[in-house]
Amino acid sequence: MAEKQKIVYITRRERFNAAHKLYNKNWTEAENEAFFGKCSNKYYHGHNFELFVTIKGIADPETGMVMDLKKLKTIIKDSVTEQLDHKNLNEDVPFLQNMMPSIENIVVAVWDIISPQIENGKLHCVKLIETENNFVEYYGE
Ligand code: NI
């Protein structure tokens, strides 16, 4: 009987700093303030974000790797974190146009960018940490 294939999850972390505000243009300033509190501050606020991208797969017998983490690093940097770093997420990022730049919406957008670029293994999770207490995860569902 063939040996059972072992599924391994590998993760690359990248960091970026960016500003945003949570502000619904269809609401009044008072409604925004009531719902989002200081996150709606019209002069924006910043975070030191940490992005974790996890790939699921089977280690290649030749390389011992699910996917080369250097390659994953390049994909994340070129297509995501370089686009976000030191940017205003409400205004400056083409792939976040016309959406609330909440961490929920950002992880879904990041998934859609990274997923088609993964050749060995499959994208399993995109996790974004906004503060030490607040983070979100997306599994492509
Ligand atoms: Ni915030």
Side-chain angles (χ1 to χ4, degrees), residues 50-127:
E50 284 186 273
L51 178 68
F52 293 80
V53 175
T54 301
I55 307 299
K56 170 186 183 178
I58 294 156
D60 182 292
E62 300 288 330
T63 64
M65 295 177 180
V66 172
M67 172 182 182
D68 186 347
L69 280 162
K70 289 195 298 294
K71 192 171 175 198
L72 182 57
K73 168 189 170 178
T74 302
I75 290 171
I76 300 167
K77 282 188 107 114
D78 289 354
S79 58
V80 178
T81 51
E82 286 294 320
Q83 315 301 316
L84 300 176
D85 193 38
H86 287 69
K87 295 290 171 58
N88 176 325
L89 303 182
N90 295 76
E91 303 291 341
D92 294 342
V93 182
F95 70 81
L96 298 179
Q97 288 299 303
N98 303 312
M99 72 168 71
M100 179 79 69
S102 64
I103 47 177
E104 291 89 331
N105 286 340
I106 295 168
V107 287
V108 173
V110 169
W111 178 286
D112 290 342
I113 290 167
I114 291 180
S115 180
Q117 300 184 66
I118 304 303
E119 290 163 2
N120 302 318
K122 282 183 75 169
L123 182 56
H124 174 68
C125 179
V126 175
K127 173 178 170 176

Side-chain angles (χ1 to χ4, degrees), residues 20 22 39 45-47 49 130:
H20 73 166
L22 300 180
C39 292
H45 63 276
H47 296 284
F49 290 97
E130 186 174 51

